[in-house]
Amino acid sequence: MAGSGSSSLIKIKVPLGLDDPRSYIPAGNPLTFGKWKLGQRLFFDDSWLEAKAGTSCATCHQPNHGFADREHTHRDGFNTPTLINCVFNSSQFWDGRASQLEEVIQRTLEDERASDPPKPFRHTWSGVIPRLKNKPIYHEQFNEVFGTPPGEKDGKERANITQDTVGRALATYLRTILAGASIHDRALRERTRKHSPTLKAEHYEAVLDDAALKELEQEKEKKADVAAKLMRGYLLFANLDERRPLMNCVDCHSGRNFTDKEFHNLGVGPTSRPGQEGGRFAQVPVGQKNRYLIDAYKTPTLRNLPRTGPYFHDGKTSSLREVVEFYNMRARRNEYLDRKLLGEGGRTRQLGLNTADIDALVLFLNALGGGEVDSVIKTPPSSGK
């Protein structure tokens, strides 16, 4: 990342395999170095989110755990989603209740008020603006980035700290949390280099150096064998294996960030009661609701999977093998289950994977892990300005 001065635009090195993020950045909030520094500071500072110090954005979105954490669920009953590559998101949170990253801390003026009695936690923090205004150390940085508001109060210069400026600064930092360059990305690059019309095991084998084998925990295996297994996993994932015609992971986990950005009921967790429907159903306006949005949650990215467990919106499973086995052996049925998971006669689709299939698919999912987020992004800022 390059930039100098608070108002200068910054350039970001986009990791291999990702789309160009520029079209995903709103024109009203361009990336500038000053906003990025301020957003980074807010992200790691544990003194302003809550009245009692000790909680920061990084408390749950831990940089060393894929900007997620190892907890299964939190106060809202959800697993912490990763922030990696969130610049590409078209909606935020598992239920998509916010559209822009600028809205992740507060979304309305009412969010600034403490609820009485307390309402269920929904990832908003009351009182953050007064708390930040009571921290003179932030005044100069906010005013340098967003300009000084006109007028004075009690002889003191006003600080340009509002829901808008806080949201814009945080969103700027979040949009630079990028990770790619996975083993799969490198194999695709090798395919391009070889001008091959299809991906082959030899392309995986060409990128399986010692570091890659260690990443996959396959140090004792022959490269050719690992490459063949990766190829088998890819074919299953992409629905290209004729022996397993019901596999279609790529239908939902599509694109370079491996998500269709849609919402699906997977049969995970309890079914909502009538009148208390959860998931995407609760967030869309009347006229756009349908039964398949009940208990439907956003398709997560598959990038950095080894670092972002546990998995599913409720943290139901601790390992990728459990995830694959859940889909393979699922016998559970509910009336709102996504239609993509149904087979003939409306029955839950059984995939029929054997042990070797599961091993290969899990290995492929691990091969989507990729590199760490750049250390400049992951490292908390030094104290002071």
Side-chain angles (χ1 to χ4, degrees), residues 323-340:
V323 172
V324 175
E325 289 174 345
F326 169 82
Y327 284 107
N328 188 43
M329 302 300 294
R330 175 216 303 274
R332 187 177 174 197
R333 175 82 168 87
N334 73 58
E335 58 185 312
Y336 311 124
L337 195 69
D338 195 280
R339 285 165 287 189
K340 292 182 179 182

Side-chain angles (χ1 to χ4, degrees), residues 76-367:
D76 57 357
F78 291 92
N79 166 246
T80 300
T82 179
L83 295 178
I84 288 175
N85 299 337
C86 63
V87 64
F88 303 114
N89 291 351
S90 58
S91 57
Q92 317 304 324
F93 306 109
W94 284 106
D95 58 7
R97 61 185 178 273
S99 58
Q100 299 294 325
L101 284 167
E102 284 79 359
E103 302 175 289
V104 296
I105 297 298
Q106 293 183 331
R107 291 178 279 286
T108 71
L109 293 175
E110 289 298 312
D111 291 333
E112 186 57 40
R113 302 179 183 180
S115 58
D116 186 26
K119 297 179 181 179
F121 177 74
R122 60 188 187 94
H123 202 281
T124 57
W125 282 265
S126 60
V128 297
I129 303 306
R131 283 197 290 275
L132 283 170
K133 286 186 174 181
N134 286 333
K135 297 180 182 298
I137 193 171
Y138 273 110
H139 292 190
E140 182 180 353
Q141 194 168 3
F142 268 92
N143 289 350
E144 181 181 336
V145 173
F146 295 107
T148 303
E152 293 184 347
K153 184 176 181 180
D154 299 328
K156 298 181 180 179
E157 186 179 83
R158 291 181 179 179
N160 198 350
I161 301 176
T162 66
Q163 287 180 315
D164 178 65
T165 57
V166 170
R168 288 165 65 192
L170 267 173
T172 297
Y173 170 72
L174 297 178
R175 290 188 173 109
T176 66
I177 301 174
L178 300 173
S182 69
I183 293 169
H184 180 64
D185 293 319
R186 299 199 293 273
L188 290 175
R189 181 174 61 184
E190 184 69 11
R191 168 195 166 182
T192 301
R193 191 178 72 84
K194 292 289 185 65
H195 305 288
S196 173
T198 59
L199 186 64
K200 300 177 181 179
E202 66 186 63
H203 302 136
Y204 283 111
E205 185 173 357
V207 301
L208 287 176
D209 54 18
D210 291 344
L213 290 172
K214 183 177 180 180
E215 179 183 334
L216 296 173
E217 299 182 349
Q218 300 287 309
E219 301 99 315
K220 297 181 180 180
E221 305 298 324
K222 294 180 180 179
K223 289 184 180 181
D225 294 340
V226 177
K229 187 184 291 188
L230 282 169
M231 190 63 200
R232 182 175 185 175
Y234 166 73
L235 292 174
L236 288 167
F237 178 88
N239 204 32
L240 298 174
D241 189 329
E242 295 179 355
R243 299 169 303 128
R244 301 287 183 263
L246 296 180
M247 291 294 297
N248 202 8
C249 309
V250 74
D251 196 23
C252 294
H253 293 286
S254 55
R256 290 190 170 190
N257 208 32
F258 297 95
T259 171
D260 62 0
K261 305 179 184 180
E262 298 294 335
F263 301 82
H264 306 279
N265 183 319
L266 306 179
V268 174
T271 301
S272 294
R273 297 178 179 178
Q276 300 177 354
E277 292 86 355
R280 186 61 177 158
F281 185 90
Q283 304 302 325
V284 297
V286 173
Q288 296 183 22
K289 297 180 186 291
N290 69 70
R291 60 183 293 184
Y292 295 106
L293 294 179
I294 296 174
D295 300 331
Y297 295 97
K298 187 170 66 174
T299 305
T301 177
L302 298 185
R303 289 193 174 272
N304 255 250
L305 279 176
R307 300 182 180 93
T308 59
Y311 307 102
F312 293 124
H313 71 273
D314 62 353
K316 173 185 176 68
T317 59
S318 299
S319 72
L320 291 174
R321 176 169 288 277
E322 289 179 81
V323 172
V324 175
E325 289 174 345
F326 169 82
Y327 284 107
N328 188 43
M329 302 300 294
R330 175 216 303 274
R332 187 177 174 197
R333 175 82 168 87
N334 73 58
E335 58 185 312
Y336 311 124
L337 195 69
D338 195 280
R339 285 165 287 189
K340 292 182 179 182
L341 299 177
L342 300 179
E344 294 181 2
R347 295 187 295 272
T348 305
R349 190 170 59 188
Q350 302 292 309
L351 301 181
L353 300 179
N354 59 35
T355 300
D357 291 330
I358 293 174
D359 289 343
L361 189 52
V362 170
L363 188 67
F364 173 76
L365 293 175
N366 276 292

